[in-house]
Structure formats: structure tokens, C-alpha cells
Amino acid sequence: MNNEKLTMCMGIGLVAWMTAGFAEAHTSYGGTARDLGTVTNAAVTPYFKTINTVQTVTSDFGWAAGTGVSYGDAHHIRAYRFKLTDWSLANIRIEVAVRGDGAQVFLPGFSLYSGLLHTSGGSDYDTAPVTLAYLDSLGGKNGAFNALGVMKIGNDAGLLSTLNYVGNAADGTSANFGSAARIHGDGLADGVVEGTFWLPAGDYSVLVGGANLAGMDSTGRYGINATLSAIPETSSVALAVLGSVILMRRRGRDV
């Protein structure tokens, strides 16, 4: 996606935000609505939680736009959170729910970060003065969403959240999400994508959006279900699964 199109998309997104109301303008976890929970090693049993309430993103390209050097508009991203109390093998699965009013097929993509957005003192958003000052220090960007690296976005209290990039997964191939380096495509554009990560204890954020780089729908509603499953560090099964993940990636999951 070229800079002209990214600028146009952000402009459309800001207009849509202004007409949709205050709540849509901020990047947050929706209170507890998108909290995937806490994984604890107190029990050896695997953890599983799905959020399949009415959660949507507002474009078919929002995640893919964030893979460019000019970043993307965070208004088109939905944020989820979870917490690990010990090292765990965590699997994140995003799939299309009942489709809203968008005209194109929704292909999901997500980025995983350690760290959290602000949950008090005001939510973070692209056009907060502190966010704009940070983006200006980088030479100017189209938005705060960085799908492939460290992301910083702030609130009206003048505080920046720092999300440290861990990894990503995208539905489809480079024909769908583009040719940016380090995108982990699943090779099949079917509305489902998942990734498995070996993670230390801490708080994590999952930012989800559309992975269709050529998409033009900035106002449609695309339904998403999100699932977190995890195996505690003490499980020998985790090591076996980790080995299979390494082998899988060696065979070439990047498409």
C-alpha cells in the first residue's frame, strides 16, 4: 500500500470515528470485554478461553496497513489482553464471526506484544497530543499502529503506552497481506489464523485487524472471535508441541 492510499485511509477512518462517536476513537480492551484472562501454573491443566461476543473491526485492511513503514490507523484495530504468571506455550486463534456490512471477505491478522495499553487515566489513541509528538519524532506517520515492531500510543494525560513486539500471524499469502518482510502468513485465505508462542510471565496485548492490503472498506463491521489456549511450563506436552512448532516454521510458514 503506497503512502497516498494510507493517508487517504487514515483520513476516512478519522471521519468515520467523528461520526461514530467517542467510544470508537480509542484503542482499549473494552473494559473486560476483550480480556482473555490470566493463565496460572497453579494447576497443570491446559487453559482455554474464547471471546465470541459481538466484537468487530471497522475495516478489511487495518492490520495490513500497519505493516508498512508509515504505520497504520489504530482506529481500525481491536485490542485484546491476557496475563501469564509463568512461562507458557500460548496459542492465539482469530476467526471470522458473523460478517457485518462489509462488502469484502474478511481476512484477519494479528500482532502480539508484551505490555499493555492504558487502562486508567484515559484510553490511548492516534491523535492524542503525546502520540502525535512521538510520531513526529519518527518523521511523521499515518497512525500509531505498528504491526511489525514496537508500538507507542498515548492518552490525554500525556502518557505513552509501550507495546514491545513479539510476533504476528496473518490469514492468507502475500497476495493478500502484501510483501513486507517478517509477516507470518498461514498460506490459506479462509478467515482463520492462529499462532503459537513460547512466552515468559507477563502482560500481553493482541491487536487484531483486517489483513487485506488491497482492501478499501474503512467503515464496514467485521465480526471476530478470539481464543487463547495455553499449556503451563510444567507440562511435558508443551515441549513436544514447541518442537513441532519449530519444525513447522522451518518448513516455511512465511509465505
Side-chain angles (χ1 to χ4, degrees):
M1 183 181 290
N2 59 35
N3 288 340
E4 290 79 11
K5 180 176 179 182
L6 281 169
T7 301
M8 177 189 71
C9 290
M10 184 176 181
I12 294 173
L14 289 174
V15 171
W17 155 60
M18 292 172 68
T19 58
F22 183 82
E24 289 295 329
H26 295 70
T27 306
S28 71
Y29 308 106
T32 60
R34 292 186 293 277
D35 187 347
L36 286 162
T38 299
V39 180
T40 178
N41 221 10
V44 182
T45 54
Y47 179 92
F48 182 89
K49 180 176 180 178
T50 295
I51 294 179
N52 55 7
T53 54
V54 183
Q55 300 296 331
T56 61
V57 294
T58 56
S59 83
D60 57 352
F61 57 80
W63 183 85
T67 66
V69 295
S70 295
Y71 300 175
D73 185 348
H75 298 137
H76 295 306
I77 298 298
R78 276 288 178 261
Y80 294 78
R81 63 176 293 183
F82 64 91
K83 183 180 183 70
L84 302 178
T85 61
D86 299 276
W87 277 90
S88 298
L89 188 70
N91 178 272
I92 299 161
R93 177 183 172 93
I94 307 295
E95 59 185 321
V96 172
V98 176
R99 210 176 88 185
D101 58 2
Q104 300 185 52
V105 175
F106 176 58
L107 305 177
F110 73 85
S111 296
L112 172 65
Y113 306 84
S114 62
L116 295 176
L117 300 164
H118 286 108
T119 56
S120 62
S123 298
D124 300 322
Y125 63 109
D126 290 87
T127 53
V130 68
T131 307
L132 293 176
Y134 166 69
L135 297 177
D136 285 345
S137 75
L138 301 179
K141 301 290 183 180
N142 291 324
F145 176 55
N146 182 4
L148 302 176
V150 174
M151 175 177 165
K152 295 188 178 184
I153 186 170
N155 61 13
D156 285 333
L159 302 173
L160 276 176
S161 295
T162 298
L163 302 182
N164 293 301
Y165 175 76
V166 175
N168 72 81
D171 190 22
T173 71
S174 58
N176 308 117
F177 48 70
S179 58
R182 298 182 294 116
I183 297 179
H184 297 276
D186 65 8
L188 182 63
D190 60 354
V192 180
V193 65
E194 59 186 317
T196 303
F197 306 87
W198 186 239
L199 301 173
D203 291 297
Y204 292 89
S205 297
V206 182
L207 273 54
V208 181
N212 180 11
L213 188 62
M216 292 297 295
D217 185 1
S218 62
T219 59
R221 299 283 177 166
Y222 296 91
I224 47 177
N225 293 337
T227 298
L228 170 68
S229 55
I231 302 172
E233 177 202 16
T234 54
S235 173
S236 59
V237 178
L239 297 178
V241 175
L242 178 61
S244 67
V245 170
I246 293 172
L247 286 175
M248 178 180 64
R249 288 187 174 175
R250 283 178 178 172
R251 289 170 184 158
R253 295 285 296 200
D254 298 353
V255 180

